[in-house]
Amino acid sequence: MTFPKLEIPEGVLDIAQKLEAAGFEAWCVGGNLRDALLQIPHSDYDIATSATPDQVQKLFPRTIEVGIKYGTVGVLDRSRVLHEVTTFRRDVATDGRHAVVAFGASLEEDLSRRDFTINALAYHPLRGEWKDPFNGAADIESHVVRAVGNPADRFREDYLRILRAIRFAARFDFSIDPATWEAARAAAAGLQQLSAERVRDEWFKSLRTARSITQLVLLWIHVGAASAWIRELEGVAGFDNAFSDPPVDGRDPVVLTTLLCRDPVAVLRRLKAANAEIARAAAMLKGPEEPRGLDERSVRRWLAVVGAAADDLALLWRLRHGGDPPWTAIAAEIRRRGDPLTRGDLAITGGDLQALGITGPRLGETLAALLERVLDDPSVNTPESLLTLARNLP
């Protein structure tokens, strides 16, 4: 592979120039170099430096302690854009979840502690010089995910790297180097040591970025990650033929988890998802999945029953059937007109009914009955019509 000269953002150049002028090394590192070689759009470059966090903070007037414990300082450039500047470091101790790091390492030592060769690249933003001590560019060209050095050691340092290997393979349609794959399978039991939050974030990222959800799920199952964290993925018959992959932009991990898992609510609870995300999955399971018919009355009643879950259920249908639901246009027209769908949409309130002498449990029953009439015929949703109906209800 021929290494290109990269267009580095002005803010990154300014930070690198100031570090170098003060006698420190400054290199661009991280996944954006990989993405640049793959010609994938990317936003910014992280900087690795020989300066310690204290020295970085003294050198730049506007900084934020992004991850000072691990050597990372956020530096604000003149446009107030935040750039991460991290000190060269080496691992002193690891437990499969966290690492204790020491500063004073060289660039080569810093790159050697990274997970995969495709992420162990460095680029000097001022000289246009590349460093690739582990042949990451060749692996990018060959479409291979390969651990840096001994793969068993890399996974023992942080078991999350097993899931990261899968994410990169599914995102870029890469294969996983056989030795790296076997080491990942051998280390899969260590995944249980990870926090639910880290696993959830990796699962969600993978769902958002995978070129093929089928490939992603199969890798999770075959490496042993599903057994450790998402047992509900296993035995989902025919999932690989039962849905079509949505575009990467706009992927919704809650909807996809609901699609792929037998009990998505249990999965999301185990992964410590937000309460709102768990509630969305529960609402999709409750359904109903689609209207009873394609007439306006049926679609309107379905929208009223499923409420906020309507869009999620429509996306589920789209994934399963490979096209827009047949009620899409009807639902859009109902929403455009603003047809009443809830008690709050009624043209009268409980107070109006109380003025008629309707109180207690009868009040709620009357509002429910009026909503039923309005769902059948939105034209009766006027104060006069509803009050007349309320007076005549049995």
Side-chain angles (χ1 to χ4, degrees), residues 126-144:
L126 306 180
R127 299 196 299 267
E129 175 187 354
W130 284 84
K131 291 282 188 180
D132 182 16
F134 303 103
N135 297 315
D139 284 337
I140 289 173
E141 197 165 37
S142 300
H143 291 189
V144 172

Side-chain angles (χ1 to χ4, degrees), residues 151-166:
D153 291 342
R154 297 293 80 76
F155 294 131
R156 275 195 297 267
E157 289 163 358
D158 186 352
Y159 293 111
L160 191 73
R161 288 171 172 171
I162 297 170
L163 304 185
R164 283 171 58 83
I166 290 172

Side-chain angles (χ1 to χ4, degrees), residues 70-382:
Y70 299 103
T72 301
V73 176
V75 177
L76 290 165
D77 66 19
R78 289 178 291 182
S79 300
R80 302 195 67 80
V81 175
L82 186 72
H83 305 276
E84 290 192 359
V85 178
T86 303
T87 303
F88 295 156
R89 53 197 176 169
R90 53 186 172 82
D91 291 338
V92 174
T94 60
D95 62 3
R97 296 181 61 179
H98 308 101
V100 177
V101 299
F103 306 136
S106 66
L107 172 65
E108 287 71 19
E109 288 176 305
D110 186 82
L111 294 177
S112 71
R113 67 180 295 277
R114 297 180 182 264
D115 49 9
F116 307 109
T117 62
I118 60 176
N119 297 328
L121 299 157
Y123 178 80
H124 200 284
L126 306 180
R127 299 196 299 267
E129 175 187 354
W130 284 84
K131 291 282 188 180
D132 182 16
F134 303 103
N135 297 315
D139 284 337
I140 289 173
E141 197 165 37
S142 300
H143 291 189
V144 172
V145 177
R146 186 192 315 273
V148 170
N150 185 324
D153 291 342
R154 297 293 80 76
F155 294 131
R156 275 195 297 267
E157 289 163 358
D158 186 352
Y159 293 111
L160 191 73
R161 288 171 172 171
I162 297 170
L163 304 185
R164 283 171 58 83
I166 290 172
R167 172 159 61 89
F168 292 134
R171 177 186 174 189
F172 301 123
D173 194 21
F174 281 15
S175 62
I176 299 178
D177 159 67
T180 300
W181 176 251
E182 289 307 316
R185 292 186 63 196
L191 289 168
Q192 295 176 347
Q193 299 180 30
L194 298 173
S195 70
E197 292 84 355
R198 293 185 78 201
V199 175
R200 178 200 64 225
D201 291 348
E202 196 62 37
W203 172 242
F204 279 15
K205 285 179 187 176
S206 298
L207 289 173
R208 289 189 180 104
T209 60
R211 291 191 184 181
S212 167
I213 302 296
T214 297
Q215 179 191 13
L216 171 68
V217 172
L218 289 174
L219 288 172
W220 264 69
I221 291 172
H222 294 320
V223 85
S227 295
W229 278 99
I230 311 182
R231 297 179 296 277
E232 295 80 357
L233 275 177
E234 299 176 303
V236 180
F239 74 86
D240 51 336
N241 296 315
F243 68 93
S244 57
D245 284 324
V248 171
D249 291 343
R251 291 265 187 91
D252 190 312
V254 175
V255 175
L256 285 168
T257 300
T258 303
L259 174 74
L260 295 167
C261 297
R262 292 190 301 273
D263 187 350
V265 172
V267 171
L268 293 171
R269 283 180 178 152
R270 188 180 308 127
L271 296 179
K272 296 188 177 179
N275 288 336
E277 293 169 330
I278 296 170
R280 284 177 58 204
M284 282 184 271
L285 289 181
K286 183 179 178 182
E289 182 179 350
E290 58 187 67
R292 288 184 177 181
L294 296 180
D295 57 287
E296 282 200 354
R297 178 179 176 276
S298 296
V299 175
R300 191 161 44 241
R301 284 186 167 277
W302 178 77
L303 289 170
V305 169
V306 301
D311 290 338
D312 286 344
L313 288 165
L315 179 54
L316 271 178
W317 199 98
R318 190 175 299 119
L319 291 170
R320 287 185 174 127
H321 300 281
D324 287 335
W327 65 88
T328 298
I330 302 168
E333 178 61 18
I334 289 170
R335 287 169 162 172
R336 185 196 66 78
R337 288 197 308 254
D339 288 2
L341 300 173
T342 69
R343 292 185 189 184
D345 296 331
L346 293 174
I348 62 172
T349 66
D352 298 320
L353 295 179
Q354 287 174 331
L356 295 179
I358 301 173
T359 59
R362 180 68 175 161
L363 181 62
E365 293 169 0
T366 301
L367 287 169
L370 293 176
L371 179 60
E372 286 293 311
R373 296 293 296 271
V374 167
L375 289 173
D376 283 341
D377 181 5
S379 69
V380 302
N381 190 36
T382 67

Side-chain angles (χ1 to χ4, degrees), residues 15-26 49-52 55 59 88 124:
I15 294 170
Q17 287 169 344
K18 195 163 188 177
L19 285 166
E20 293 270 335
F24 303 112
E25 290 184 71
T49 181
S50 56
T52 64
Q55 290 168 328
L59 197 57
F88 295 156
H124 200 284

